[in-house]
Amino acid sequence: MSYPGYPSQMGGYPPQPGAYPPQPGAYPPQAGGYPPQPGAYPPQPGAYPPQPGAYPPQAGGYPPQPGAYPPQAGGYPSQPGGYPAAPPPGSWGGGPTGGYPSIGMSQLANPGYMVSLENHWSCLPDTPDPFLWWNIFPNVQSCVFYPQPGGPMPPNQGPAMGYSSQPTPQMPGYPNAPSPNPSMPGYGMAPGPMPGYPSAPSASPSMPAYGGGAMPVAPVTVRKGLGGTITDFPGADPLKDVEVLRKAMKGFGTDEQAIINLLGSRSNKQRVPLLRAYKTSYGKDLVKDLHSELSGDFRKLVLATLKTPAEFDASELHSAIKGAGTDEACLIEILSSRSNAEIKEINRIYKQEYKKSLEDSISGDTSGHFRRLLIALAQGNRDERETVDASLAAQDAQALYAAGENKLGTDESKFNAILCARSKPHLRAVFHEYQRMCGRDIEKSISREMSGDLESGMLAVVKCIKNTPAYFAERLYKAMKGAGTKDTTLIRIMVSRSEVDLMDIRKEFVKNYGKSLYTAISGDTSGDYKKLLLKFCGGSD
């Protein structure tokens, strides 16, 4: 059929031999259309005619090739022996002519960093998040960032990972945001600048906030430890466990070995529920039954295992304060080695159990600057940030020097303010800078400037901050050294550190004292008490 008002179109392809004849009512051939092909289907009635304005063949297009595509002008030539060179800027795939926008780090004054994998983790100010590097190198025990001279990378260029045999293309990033492809160690790239941390509100009113962008003075050791010796026992059932304990205490005599095997293989969170499960099953108090069946140091050790960490610490602090004399070393040991959250929980439990605040108990049993040191630690308000401001570390080192070695007399309050408020990574940097500045270790300066309980307390705080496992290894060594054993100290450390860092303590013990902790305990204790201690120790080194 034809439509009125539309002229017939001229210029179509002529009919080809062998094609279907034109059908009545079909659209007339259109100019520029494809000619009918032999063997093709005939035009169907009602079909749309070819329309003018189709895209004409373009100059420079790909000519039909028999059986293969020919190499095209302007394409990438094959490169011998490796990846092809990146396309030039401005071409397809080569990025914008002027380069990608800056990722917001070109104006920083920070130097680059070299990364070294060693036996400990060292985290400098303004370096990448330590957990990022542990994820990248899960089998490496540590990384160390060292300042790299040479200044920042050129403007409009962020760090990128690349191989030494090819260019490292720059990935785009959002303005003022971290690079989407941060540099990683060991791939032959140039170190890039790291963003500084902005000033943040101080965690303590008396403590200035950390700034960013300062040149670090020293690596700050943050150890990724080996962990504890006691872990969760798979498939432990409190009702079955209390049945074992009940059977061990029922009838004539006590099966101490059964108690040792069970309590020495359960974690704290598996042991504590046994108190309620025992009372539910038998209507009796497990602590009272164990107290009546056992005796001596073995009984003390067993009962210690059935308290939560905060309950055990609170009871140890209370025992250290009450009665004639005070175990100052116990107070310092607990308060200098626990986190803010742990200290706050200890304060809560202490007030609940003994109807008196820990601070009041300390105030009533100590005096002078030592009392101030303990009360400051008992607040649980230490800065716990992992970042270090090198300029502030230098200021603190100078302040400690001015308060002690460079002064007639000693300003103990300055030592107290810095050692009790600053973060542990920050204080490690302070101690390093202090020794570099005055040529003497901070511990020797404290021994020269202080005495008595204050000296012992300050030294314990410094040792615990420098290397916590080494501090506890020394405490264990002194507890077993010479005639007699300080069993209270031995029990407290073996129980409280068994799930934290006892493996690290064992390592420091054998390194510093030439024999394993297992051997030292075996030679200094006996009986069931020794068996359970060795169970917590976990083995010889």
Side-chain angles (χ1 to χ4, degrees), residues 44-66:
Q44 300 300 315
Y48 291 102
Q51 300 299 315
Y55 292 102
Q58 302 299 313
Y62 298 104
Q65 301 297 320

PDB file of all heavy atoms in Angstrom, residues 44-66:
ATOM      1  N   GLN A  44       8.493  -7.652   3.488  1.00  0.00           N
ATOM      2  CA  GLN A  44       7.175  -8.036   3.971  1.00  0.00           C
ATOM      3  C   GLN A  44       6.249  -6.833   3.965  1.00  0.00           C
ATOM      4  O   GLN A  44       6.675  -5.705   4.209  1.00  0.00           O
ATOM      5  CB  GLN A  44       7.298  -8.563   5.408  1.00  0.00           C
ATOM      6  CG  GLN A  44       8.210  -9.766   5.529  1.00  0.00           C
ATOM      7  CD  GLN A  44       7.724 -10.916   4.687  1.00  0.00           C
ATOM      8  OE1 GLN A  44       6.533 -11.248   4.678  1.00  0.00           O
ATOM      9  NE2 GLN A  44       8.634 -11.523   3.910  1.00  0.00           N
ATOM     10  N   PRO A  45       5.018  -7.069   3.735  1.00  0.00           N
ATOM     11  CA  PRO A  45       4.059  -5.948   3.771  1.00  0.00           C
ATOM     12  C   PRO A  45       4.044  -5.317   5.154  1.00  0.00           C
ATOM     13  O   PRO A  45       4.052  -6.019   6.163  1.00  0.00           O
ATOM     14  CB  PRO A  45       2.721  -6.635   3.451  1.00  0.00           C
ATOM     15  CG  PRO A  45       3.069  -7.923   2.828  1.00  0.00           C
ATOM     16  CD  PRO A  45       4.392  -8.337   3.325  1.00  0.00           C
ATOM     17  N   GLY A  46       3.994  -4.024   5.189  1.00  0.00           N
ATOM     18  CA  GLY A  46       3.922  -3.297   6.464  1.00  0.00           C
ATOM     19  C   GLY A  46       5.254  -3.060   7.119  1.00  0.00           C
ATOM     20  O   GLY A  46       5.325  -2.511   8.198  1.00  0.00           O
ATOM     21  N   ALA A  47       6.326  -3.509   6.443  1.00  0.00           N
ATOM     22  CA  ALA A  47       7.636  -3.275   7.049  1.00  0.00           C
ATOM     23  C   ALA A  47       8.031  -1.816   6.896  1.00  0.00           C
ATOM     24  O   ALA A  47       7.534  -1.124   6.025  1.00  0.00           O
ATOM     25  CB  ALA A  47       8.679  -4.174   6.365  1.00  0.00           C
ATOM     26  N   TYR A  48       8.927  -1.356   7.735  1.00  0.00           N
ATOM     27  CA  TYR A  48       9.379   0.026   7.650  1.00  0.00           C
ATOM     28  C   TYR A  48      10.411   0.160   6.544  1.00  0.00           C
ATOM     29  O   TYR A  48      11.336  -0.663   6.451  1.00  0.00           O
ATOM     30  CB  TYR A  48      10.010   0.478   8.979  1.00  0.00           C
ATOM     31  CG  TYR A  48       8.997   0.610  10.076  1.00  0.00           C
ATOM     32  CD1 TYR A  48       8.881  -0.377  11.048  1.00  0.00           C
ATOM     33  CD2 TYR A  48       8.139   1.707  10.133  1.00  0.00           C
ATOM     34  CE1 TYR A  48       7.942  -0.277  12.053  1.00  0.00           C
ATOM     35  CE2 TYR A  48       7.205   1.814  11.140  1.00  0.00           C
ATOM     36  CZ  TYR A  48       7.100   0.825  12.082  1.00  0.00           C
ATOM     37  OH  TYR A  48       6.181   0.940  13.096  1.00  0.00           O
ATOM     38  N   PRO A  49      10.278   1.201   5.737  1.00  0.00           N
ATOM     39  CA  PRO A  49      11.279   1.375   4.672  1.00  0.00           C
ATOM     40  C   PRO A  49      12.587   1.853   5.252  1.00  0.00           C
ATOM     41  O   PRO A  49      12.625   2.426   6.334  1.00  0.00           O
ATOM     42  CB  PRO A  49      10.661   2.465   3.796  1.00  0.00           C
ATOM     43  CG  PRO A  49       9.823   3.260   4.735  1.00  0.00           C
ATOM     44  CD  PRO A  49       9.275   2.256   5.735  1.00  0.00           C
ATOM     45  N   PRO A  50      13.694   1.600   4.549  1.00  0.00           N
ATOM     46  CA  PRO A  50      14.973   2.165   5.005  1.00  0.00           C
ATOM     47  C   PRO A  50      14.887   3.675   5.055  1.00  0.00           C
ATOM     48  O   PRO A  50      14.300   4.293   4.174  1.00  0.00           O
ATOM     49  CB  PRO A  50      15.974   1.683   3.943  1.00  0.00           C
ATOM     50  CG  PRO A  50      15.305   0.511   3.298  1.00  0.00           C
ATOM     51  CD  PRO A  50      13.833   0.765   3.347  1.00  0.00           C
ATOM     52  N   GLN A  51      15.463   4.252   6.101  1.00  0.00           N
ATOM     53  CA  GLN A  51      15.352   5.685   6.292  1.00  0.00           C
ATOM     54  C   GLN A  51      16.639   6.382   5.834  1.00  0.00           C
ATOM     55  O   GLN A  51      17.744   5.882   6.055  1.00  0.00           O
ATOM     56  CB  GLN A  51      15.140   5.998   7.776  1.00  0.00           C
ATOM     57  CG  GLN A  51      13.888   5.360   8.356  1.00  0.00           C
ATOM     58  CD  GLN A  51      12.634   5.853   7.653  1.00  0.00           C
ATOM     59  OE1 GLN A  51      12.471   7.045   7.418  1.00  0.00           O
ATOM     60  NE2 GLN A  51      11.759   4.925   7.273  1.00  0.00           N
ATOM     61  N   PRO A  52      16.442   7.567   5.218  1.00  0.00           N
ATOM     62  CA  PRO A  52      17.651   8.337   4.866  1.00  0.00           C
ATOM     63  C   PRO A  52      18.311   8.878   6.120  1.00  0.00           C
ATOM     64  O   PRO A  52      17.661   9.044   7.135  1.00  0.00           O
ATOM     65  CB  PRO A  52      17.103   9.470   4.001  1.00  0.00           C
ATOM     66  CG  PRO A  52      15.659   9.588   4.394  1.00  0.00           C
ATOM     67  CD  PRO A  52      15.207   8.213   4.766  1.00  0.00           C
ATOM     68  N   GLY A  53      19.510   9.204   6.022  1.00  0.00           N
ATOM     69  CA  GLY A  53      20.232   9.769   7.190  1.00  0.00           C
ATOM     70  C   GLY A  53      20.996   8.739   7.987  1.00  0.00           C
ATOM     71  O   GLY A  53      21.468   9.011   9.073  1.00  0.00           O
ATOM     72  N   ALA A  54      21.074   7.513   7.518  1.00  0.00           N
ATOM     73  CA  ALA A  54      21.895   6.526   8.231  1.00  0.00           C
ATOM     74  C   ALA A  54      23.339   6.969   8.212  1.00  0.00           C
ATOM     75  O   ALA A  54      23.734   7.787   7.404  1.00  0.00           O
ATOM     76  CB  ALA A  54      21.751   5.155   7.538  1.00  0.00           C
ATOM     77  N   TYR A  55      24.118   6.387   9.124  1.00  0.00           N
ATOM     78  CA  TYR A  55      25.507   6.805   9.198  1.00  0.00           C
ATOM     79  C   TYR A  55      26.273   6.282   7.995  1.00  0.00           C
ATOM     80  O   TYR A  55      26.322   5.068   7.751  1.00  0.00           O
ATOM     81  CB  TYR A  55      26.175   6.283  10.473  1.00  0.00           C
ATOM     82  CG  TYR A  55      25.625   6.917  11.701  1.00  0.00           C
ATOM     83  CD1 TYR A  55      24.714   6.234  12.514  1.00  0.00           C
ATOM     84  CD2 TYR A  55      26.004   8.210  12.061  1.00  0.00           C
ATOM     85  CE1 TYR A  55      24.202   6.837  13.642  1.00  0.00           C
ATOM     86  CE2 TYR A  55      25.486   8.813  13.203  1.00  0.00           C
ATOM     87  CZ  TYR A  55      24.574   8.131  13.973  1.00  0.00           C
ATOM     88  OH  TYR A  55      24.077   8.725  15.100  1.00  0.00           O
ATOM     89  N   PRO A  56      26.904   7.185   7.247  1.00  0.00           N
ATOM     90  CA  PRO A  56      27.685   6.721   6.089  1.00  0.00           C
ATOM     91  C   PRO A  56      28.986   6.086   6.554  1.00  0.00           C
ATOM     92  O   PRO A  56      29.428   6.306   7.675  1.00  0.00           O
ATOM     93  CB  PRO A  56      27.976   8.029   5.326  1.00  0.00           C
ATOM     94  CG  PRO A  56      27.972   9.078   6.389  1.00  0.00           C
ATOM     95  CD  PRO A  56      26.948   8.625   7.404  1.00  0.00           C
ATOM     96  N   PRO A  57      29.593   5.291   5.736  1.00  0.00           N
ATOM     97  CA  PRO A  57      30.903   4.727   6.104  1.00  0.00           C
ATOM     98  C   PRO A  57      31.893   5.843   6.397  1.00  0.00           C
ATOM     99  O   PRO A  57      31.933   6.853   5.713  1.00  0.00           O
ATOM    100  CB  PRO A  57      31.313   3.920   4.855  1.00  0.00           C
ATOM    101  CG  PRO A  57      30.038   3.674   4.123  1.00  0.00           C
ATOM    102  CD  PRO A  57      29.137   4.830   4.413  1.00  0.00           C
ATOM    103  N   GLN A  58      32.676   5.670   7.463  1.00  0.00           N
ATOM    104  CA  GLN A  58      33.611   6.700   7.879  1.00  0.00           C
ATOM    105  C   GLN A  58      34.997   6.431   7.312  1.00  0.00           C
ATOM    106  O   GLN A  58      35.462   5.283   7.260  1.00  0.00           O
ATOM    107  CB  GLN A  58      33.716   6.726   9.405  1.00  0.00           C
ATOM    108  CG  GLN A  58      32.382   6.975  10.101  1.00  0.00           C
ATOM    109  CD  GLN A  58      31.791   8.318   9.717  1.00  0.00           C
ATOM    110  OE1 GLN A  58      32.489   9.337   9.721  1.00  0.00           O
ATOM    111  NE2 GLN A  58      30.513   8.344   9.332  1.00  0.00           N
ATOM    112  N   ALA A  59      35.671   7.567   6.964  1.00  0.00           N
ATOM    113  CA  ALA A  59      37.044   7.457   6.466  1.00  0.00           C
ATOM    114  C   ALA A  59      37.932   6.931   7.581  1.00  0.00           C
ATOM    115  O   ALA A  59      37.847   7.390   8.711  1.00  0.00           O
ATOM    116  CB  ALA A  59      37.527   8.820   5.994  1.00  0.00           C
ATOM    117  N   GLY A  60      38.786   6.060   7.272  1.00  0.00           N
ATOM    118  CA  GLY A  60      39.699   5.518   8.296  1.00  0.00           C
ATOM    119  C   GLY A  60      39.137   4.334   9.039  1.00  0.00           C
ATOM    120  O   GLY A  60      39.713   3.891  10.005  1.00  0.00           O
ATOM    121  N   GLY A  61      37.930   3.871   8.668  1.00  0.00           N
ATOM    122  CA  GLY A  61      37.360   2.701   9.333  1.00  0.00           C
ATOM    123  C   GLY A  61      38.148   1.447   8.998  1.00  0.00           C
ATOM    124  O   GLY A  61      39.070   1.453   8.188  1.00  0.00           O
ATOM    125  N   TYR A  62      37.775   0.376   9.625  1.00  0.00           N
ATOM    126  CA  TYR A  62      38.486  -0.874   9.416  1.00  0.00           C
ATOM    127  C   TYR A  62      37.969  -1.548   8.150  1.00  0.00           C
ATOM    128  O   TYR A  62      36.778  -1.892   8.054  1.00  0.00           O
ATOM    129  CB  TYR A  62      38.294  -1.816  10.603  1.00  0.00           C
ATOM    130  CG  TYR A  62      38.834  -1.277  11.878  1.00  0.00           C
ATOM    131  CD1 TYR A  62      37.986  -0.757  12.850  1.00  0.00           C
ATOM    132  CD2 TYR A  62      40.205  -1.267  12.110  1.00  0.00           C
ATOM    133  CE1 TYR A  62      38.502  -0.239  14.023  1.00  0.00           C
ATOM    134  CE2 TYR A  62      40.719  -0.745  13.281  1.00  0.00           C
ATOM    135  CZ  TYR A  62      39.864  -0.246  14.222  1.00  0.00           C
ATOM    136  OH  TYR A  62      40.369   0.255  15.399  1.00  0.00           O
ATOM    137  N   PRO A  63      38.805  -1.740   7.126  1.00  0.00           N
ATOM    138  CA  PRO A  63      38.340  -2.427   5.901  1.00  0.00           C
ATOM    139  C   PRO A  63      38.103  -3.896   6.192  1.00  0.00           C
ATOM    140  O   PRO A  63      38.736  -4.473   7.073  1.00  0.00           O
ATOM    141  CB  PRO A  63      39.516  -2.237   4.939  1.00  0.00           C
ATOM    142  CG  PRO A  63      40.700  -2.045   5.814  1.00  0.00           C
ATOM    143  CD  PRO A  63      40.205  -1.364   7.059  1.00  0.00           C
ATOM    144  N   PRO A  64      37.182  -4.505   5.466  1.00  0.00           N
ATOM    145  CA  PRO A  64      36.940  -5.944   5.682  1.00  0.00           C
ATOM    146  C   PRO A  64      38.197  -6.734   5.352  1.00  0.00           C
ATOM    147  O   PRO A  64      38.822  -6.512   4.329  1.00  0.00           O
ATOM    148  CB  PRO A  64      35.795  -6.274   4.711  1.00  0.00           C
ATOM    149  CG  PRO A  64      35.257  -4.937   4.251  1.00  0.00           C
ATOM    150  CD  PRO A  64      36.346  -3.948   4.408  1.00  0.00           C
ATOM    151  N   GLN A  65      38.575  -7.580   6.264  1.00  0.00           N
ATOM    152  CA  GLN A  65      39.764  -8.397   6.051  1.00  0.00           C
ATOM    153  C   GLN A  65      39.350  -9.853   5.948  1.00  0.00           C
ATOM    154  O   GLN A  65      38.512 -10.317   6.727  1.00  0.00           O
ATOM    155  CB  GLN A  65      40.758  -8.225   7.202  1.00  0.00           C
ATOM    156  CG  GLN A  65      41.233  -6.793   7.398  1.00  0.00           C
ATOM    157  CD  GLN A  65      41.997  -6.284   6.211  1.00  0.00           C
ATOM    158  OE1 GLN A  65      42.786  -7.021   5.626  1.00  0.00           O
ATOM    159  NE2 GLN A  65      41.763  -5.033   5.834  1.00  0.00           N
ATOM    160  N   PRO A  66      40.009 -10.559   5.086  1.00  0.00           N
ATOM    161  CA  PRO A  66      39.656 -11.996   4.977  1.00  0.00           C
ATOM    162  C   PRO A  66      40.224 -12.773   6.160  1.00  0.00           C
ATOM    163  O   PRO A  66      41.432 -12.947   6.271  1.00  0.00           O
ATOM    164  CB  PRO A  66      40.314 -12.433   3.658  1.00  0.00           C
ATOM    165  CG  PRO A  66      41.411 -11.429   3.428  1.00  0.00           C
ATOM    166  CD  PRO A  66      40.978 -10.144   4.057  1.00  0.00           C
TER     167      PRO A  66
END
